[in-house]
Amino acid sequence: MNYIFGKRMNSIMHGGDYNPEQWLDRPDILAKDIEYMKEAGVNEATLGVFAWSMYEPREGEFHFEWLKQIMDNLYENGIYTILATPSGARPIWLDNTYPEVMRVDNMGNRNRHGIRHNHCLSSPIMREKISLLDQKLVEEVGNHPGLIMWHISNEFGGECYCDLCKRGFQQYLRKRYDGDINKLNHEWWATFWSARYNSFDEIEPPFKNGQTAIMGLNLDWKKFTTQNYCDYISVEIDTLRKYAKKEVPITTNFMKRFWDIDYRTLAKKIDVISWDSYPFFHNDQESFADTMLESGFDHAMMRGLKKDKPFMLMESAPGKVNWSPYNKLKRPGVHKQFALQTIACGSDTVQYFQWRKSRGAAEQHHGAVMDHLGTTDTRIFKEVAETGNVLKKIAEVEGSIPQNKVAIVFEWENWWAFEDAGGFSWHTKKYDTTCMEYWKALAALGVDADVISANDISNEYKVVIAPMLYSVTEAIADKMKRFVENGGTLLGTYIMGYVNENCLCYEGGFPGAGLSELFGLISEEIDTLYPSDRNGIRFVSGNEDTVLTVKEYAEILRVHDAEVLGVYTDDFYAKQPAFTVKSTGKGKAYYQAARCEDQALIDLLEVVLSSTDITCTRLAKGIEKHTRYTDDFAYTFYLNNSDENAIFEVVDGENLLSGEEVKGSVEIGPKECIVIKQWKES
Ligand code: GLA
Ligand code: ZN
């Protein structure tokens, strides 16, 4: 078992951001908060996320009494504290005295003081001042029995183009290119448009009105920014560790499919993955079940960042948010269903932003457990309290983890490289959502999948799907070859292996780095289709009547050493190969040359999976299934996200939510879930 907090908590953590510093002149409110938290089944509060100006109102003047008192009160009432370091927002004295801490944007303009999440990552002053504050926090409350976790800063994101960051970038490049500017010129193909550099000191970040035409530069800048986040967070982490007497795990909160930072690299710095999830429920484009599936994929992505441990849902909205174009309420029952899905997908916590609405400023109308109304008879409070109850019933799943046999590759560097590439369509690249489409199609086949790095491809998985892996290194290509040779089933797709790690095109045919041999083909051309264009893939033998609908991208292949499973139905490349397989060693490498519509993708994946011993069971629309395991037990969550009653046939075990033994089939209503505990099959 791998518990997040190093020990069994005996309950699923249920809590969220709590800002008592806004209410220190209201002891009546603070007393009610404790009473109502207990009523809601809340056992955790995240404190101090934006409290720097209360801790240190003037440089060197510190106040922690209020924090200690709040933590004491919470702890005496059975509520643990996750304590944030307050670097998410800076006090005005810091910005006024040391302007270097304020970020510079991509036009070279320095920010003025204000808002949040906008400090320079390189600034030595910023690093020094936050370290001092972190040290004081550890000294003051680091040993508090209620302290259960450190939460560094808040939702890291954005970039800084100041001179300090520019010099950091030059340093990073010097190291990366062994101090040899001509090596950089070569890897960046800098002779193009006369872009050659004479020294590292000449290089600037990709300012919006500057050098943005070098793909290698743009990619290195993204990688440097991630590196800078790693360096910055290390400063805070090292300080906490250095002064800590008690060992407390450390996290920072991530966001959905986040573009700015390679989370896989940043994840290595922290002990536990936590993230903030705000799905657009009840939008006008998709069903509730589809939004839930998207949320399932996003959980899988977070889970994949540290697979040996449960993750945490650090924030979610009770009711509604305040920043979406339309701030729609969560419909009755959605809150609990979303919480159960979160646990089903491998989280060990359900937490909110926020416990209580602030009376003023930017988030006064953001959803919270406690509304301005101030009572506990609100719909939202009752739904939160009900969720608290449900979480108690499934407490024993804590520490269990999913053990999936199918994985989808998602790479940040590939995402950055591909998004920056011309020659396709700026509107239809959709790398992240395409990875999600594969995950959803598998879910429809009853197969739960992990989302992993290409570096983690291994025969621990039976099937690996690598959608649109535009950028491939020799090392990754080798992993893929070994995976297949050792019995794995690999699915590669259109837009694979076009460039290397520096965005230089492979010579001698795509997919490069030896992958054309693994798949037995070369992709000679790619057709970027207009939104209304369609083509099709017809199976060559077996189900010739089935045509898979193709949209957006279609590659034209030269197949030299693979079996053709499907051919195009239309256009000048009709009857040419579109779907192939080649056996190598004990495994198989499938290649899908064109993007398929939803149903077509399900059909195609069923063909791929049918050659393995993974069982596909098509689930009715709106039904989701996830399993978490301990050494002895399997906990299967069946979620009904449709508008109709649903019947599950295969359940046989104890339903943790009702406490009843279940045999045969169970019928449950819309937005309901059952959690079945069974002995694990050996
Ligand atoms: C983010 C932040 C919170 C809050 C919420 C509002 O997740 O971390 O501080 O602003 O958004 O949805
Ligand atoms: Zn900077």
Side-chain angles (χ1 to χ4, degrees):
M1 300 294 283
N2 219 333
Y3 300 116
I4 292 181
F5 304 100
K7 58 177 180 181
R8 170 148 242 168
M9 302 297 293
N10 291 319
S11 60
I12 299 287
M13 181 174 280
H14 186 220
D17 279 30
Y18 177 40
N19 300 299
E21 68 274 22
Q22 294 171 15
W23 303 91
L24 294 183
D25 60 345
R26 292 292 303 274
D28 56 320
I29 295 276
L30 296 179
K32 280 195 184 122
D33 281 338
I34 300 267
E35 179 190 334
Y36 295 162
M37 281 181 189
K38 285 157 82 175
E39 195 177 326
V42 159
N43 52 23
E44 179 274 340
T46 307
L47 297 178
V49 184
F50 300 110
W52 197 338
S53 71
M54 291 296 278
Y55 292 141
E56 193 181 6
R58 277 162 289 274
E59 187 169 4
E61 177 191 322
F62 296 100
H63 298 277
F64 297 104
E65 318 75 42
W66 65 269
L67 174 70
K68 281 191 250 177
Q69 199 165 10
I70 299 279
M71 285 177 73
D72 287 347
N73 282 344
L74 289 167
Y75 185 61
E76 279 155 24
N77 287 281
I79 302 161
Y80 286 102
T81 291
I82 293 181
L83 188 58
T85 66
S87 45
R90 303 174 310 284
I92 192 162
W93 61 260
L94 181 60
D95 290 6
N96 282 350
T97 321
Y98 310 103
E100 71 166 50
V101 302
M102 292 183 285
R103 244 175 228 181
V104 169
D105 70 15
N106 63 6
M107 289 294 284
N109 299 317
R110 193 175 293 280
N111 284 349
R112 305 180 75 86
H113 168 78
I115 331 188
R116 61 172 182 174
H117 300 169
N118 53 12
H119 70 262
C120 166
L121 298 165
S122 310
S123 160
I125 297 274
M126 178 67 195
R127 293 179 179 197
E128 178 194 322
K129 294 295 166 192
I130 191 66
S131 295
L132 181 62
L133 191 72
D134 289 353
Q135 176 189 340
K136 298 249 175 234
L137 278 175
V138 180
E139 286 166 357
E140 297 289 337
V141 296
N143 232 5
H144 195 286
L147 177 71
I148 199 164
M149 175 171 259
W150 291 106
H151 171 302
I152 309 259
S153 204
N154 196 62
E155 293 192 337
F156 280 127
E159 306 163 321
C160 179
Y161 288 71
C162 78
D163 282 347
L164 293 166
C165 288
K166 180 170 94 178
R167 280 204 291 280
F169 183 42
Q170 292 167 350
Q171 236 356 75
Y172 173 86
L173 295 172
R174 231 177 240 119
K175 197 160 163 220
R176 178 163 167 74
Y177 297 101
D178 306 321
D180 178 353
I181 196 67
N182 282 330
K183 191 165 174 189
L184 174 141
N185 281 326
H186 178 268
E187 294 306 301
W188 285 6
W189 212 251
T191 311
F192 181 82
W193 284 354
S194 207
R196 292 183 71 85
Y197 295 94
N198 293 315
S199 89
F200 286 91
D201 298 332
E202 292 171 339
I203 301 170
E204 293 210 313
F207 280 103
K208 199 170 167 201
N209 56 348
Q211 183 56 280
T212 56
I214 301 179
M215 277 57 241
L217 184 160
N218 296 344
L219 185 63
D220 276 339
W221 171 249
K222 299 293 296 173
K223 291 200 268 193
F224 161 72
T225 298
T226 288
Q227 184 56 52
N228 215 8
Y229 274 106
C230 289
D231 291 349
Y232 174 80
I233 202 174
S234 296
V235 169
E236 290 212 46
I237 290 172
D238 292 350
T239 307
L240 297 177
R241 293 260 189 261
K242 179 167 167 201
Y243 296 99
K245 293 191 200 81
K246 160 173 150 184
E247 199 161 311
V248 178
I250 295 178
T251 192
T252 186
N253 48 343
F254 287 170
M255 289 170 277
K256 163 177 167 163
R257 284 175 255 151
F258 192 58
W259 167 258
D260 300 10
I261 303 172
D262 178 348
Y263 275 163
R264 228 171 251 127
T265 305
L266 190 57
K268 296 201 174 87
K269 297 275 166 195
I270 53 176
D271 301 314
V272 180
I273 301 300
S274 67
W275 82 288
D276 304 342
S277 168
Y278 297 98
F280 290 107
F281 285 118
H282 324 299
N283 61 50
D284 55 358
Q285 293 158 30
E286 60 184 5
S287 67
F288 171 69
D290 275 334
T291 314
M292 283 291 275
L293 274 183
E294 282 195 25
S295 152
F297 169 75
D298 291 328
H299 285 313
M301 181 102 128
M302 292 295 158
R303 183 177 74 225
L305 299 175
K306 264 192 209 300
K307 284 198 306 150
D308 57 343
K309 251 189 213 172
F311 62 91
M312 302 170 73
L313 177 70
M314 187 58 85
E315 292 181 22
S316 61
K320 61 174 187 176
V321 294
N322 71 338
W323 43 259
S324 139
Y326 302 91
N327 294 291
K328 199 156 178 172
L329 289 173
K330 271 188 191 166
R331 271 33 199 169
V334 168
H335 185 64
K336 184 180 73 180
Q337 190 77 344
F338 168 72
L340 282 164
Q341 183 203 39
T342 301
I343 305 299
C345 292
S347 171
D348 268 4
T349 78
V350 172
Q351 295 161 266
Y352 309 109
F353 177 85
Q354 51 191 334
W355 167 255
R356 178 181 285 279
K357 288 184 179 174
S358 50
R359 279 192 72 196
E363 291 184 327
Q364 64 192 143
H365 300 299
H366 191 289
V369 183
M370 288 307 300
D371 185 71
H372 298 297
L373 179 61
T375 59
T376 59
D377 56 358
T378 60
R379 177 179 75 89
I380 285 168
F381 185 94
K382 286 193 231 162
E383 292 205 29
V384 167
E386 192 194 346
T387 301
N389 265 330
V390 165
L391 294 179
K392 281 184 195 140
K393 293 183 184 160
I394 58 168
E396 67 175 89
V397 308
E398 190 192 353
S400 60
I401 42 177
Q403 295 175 352
N404 298 322
K405 293 288 161 215
V406 178
I408 296 165
V409 170
F410 176 88
E411 282 295 343
W412 266 266
E413 287 186 19
N414 181 60
W415 195 15
W416 295 331
F418 182 46
E419 282 298 328
D420 202 25
F424 303 92
S425 158
W426 299 113
H427 304 296
T428 55
K429 284 184 178 157
K430 304 182 196 162
Y431 174 57
D432 59 328
T433 50
T434 301
C435 291
M436 179 170 73
E437 294 309 326
Y438 282 86
W439 192 90
K440 284 179 162 182
L442 289 166
L445 292 167
V447 176
D448 207 350
D450 285 350
V451 180
I452 63 165
S453 162
N455 291 311
D456 291 337
I457 293 176
S458 83
N459 293 89
E460 170 197 340
Y461 292 103
K462 295 198 163 154
V463 178
V464 168
I465 302 172
M468 302 166 76
L469 206 58
Y470 170 72
S471 151
V472 169
T473 61
E474 303 271 345
I476 286 172
D478 282 348
K479 278 207 172 191
M480 289 181 171
K481 279 181 241 164
R482 256 177 288 134
F483 171 73
V484 175
E485 274 160 13
N486 293 331
T489 298
L490 175 70
L491 173 63
T493 80
Y494 55 97
I495 313 181
M496 179 180 219
Y498 283 29
V499 298
N500 70 7
E501 61 272 33
N502 293 325
C503 297
L504 291 180
C505 284
Y506 278 110
E507 294 175 281
F510 303 153
L515 288 177
S516 70
E517 195 193 317
L518 181 66
F519 292 102
L521 52 83
I522 282 173
S523 159
E524 184 175 332
E525 291 189 85
I526 178 156
D527 204 8
T528 299
L529 307 182
Y530 279 89
S532 61
D533 290 341
R534 288 293 177 275
N535 203 322
I537 299 176
R538 187 185 300 284
F539 289 112
V540 170
S541 65
N543 23 10
E544 286 106 340
D545 296 339
T546 313
V547 172
L548 309 179
T549 312
V550 160
K551 60 178 182 182
E552 293 164 355
Y553 293 102
E555 282 180 340
I556 304 173
L557 306 180
R558 292 186 197 187
V559 176
H560 47 79
D561 184 20
E563 183 189 345
V564 177
L565 300 174
V567 294
Y568 287 111
T569 54
D570 290 292
D571 221 315
F572 74 93
Y573 41 94
K575 301 207 172 84
Q576 294 195 36
F579 180 38
T580 65
V581 64
K582 177 180 170 183
S583 298
T584 296
K586 295 188 223 145
K588 290 184 169 171
Y590 287 86
Y591 195 85
Q592 173 197 346
R595 186 176 281 172
C596 292
E597 284 193 334
D598 298 357
Q599 188 53 48
L601 189 57
I602 297 174
D603 294 342
L604 182 135
L605 289 179
E606 200 171 32
V607 173
V608 174
L609 292 174
S610 67
S611 70
T612 72
D613 57 5
I614 306 261
T615 323
C616 293
T617 331
R618 288 200 183 221
L619 298 177
K621 213 158 175 33
I623 304 307
E624 246 183 87
K625 184 181 158 207
H626 306 278
T627 306
R628 298 175 57 152
Y629 299 90
T630 64
D631 288 346
D632 299 325
F633 296 108
Y635 299 96
T636 304
F637 292 65
Y638 296 86
L639 295 134
N640 179 7
N641 300 327
S642 74
D643 298 329
E644 314 285 331
N645 280 7
I647 298 175
F648 300 111
E649 296 292 352
V650 281
V651 291
D652 197 354
E654 181 194 347
N655 179 5
L656 292 185
L657 293 180
S658 65
E660 287 163 7
E661 284 298 320
V662 177
K663 268 201 182 310
S665 67
V666 190
E667 184 166 359
I668 61 171
K671 300 197 181 61
E672 283 191 3
C673 170
I674 48 176
V675 183
I676 305 295
K677 174 184 181 183
Q678 291 166 307
W679 284 100
K680 190 176 166 184
E681 289 163 30
S682 47

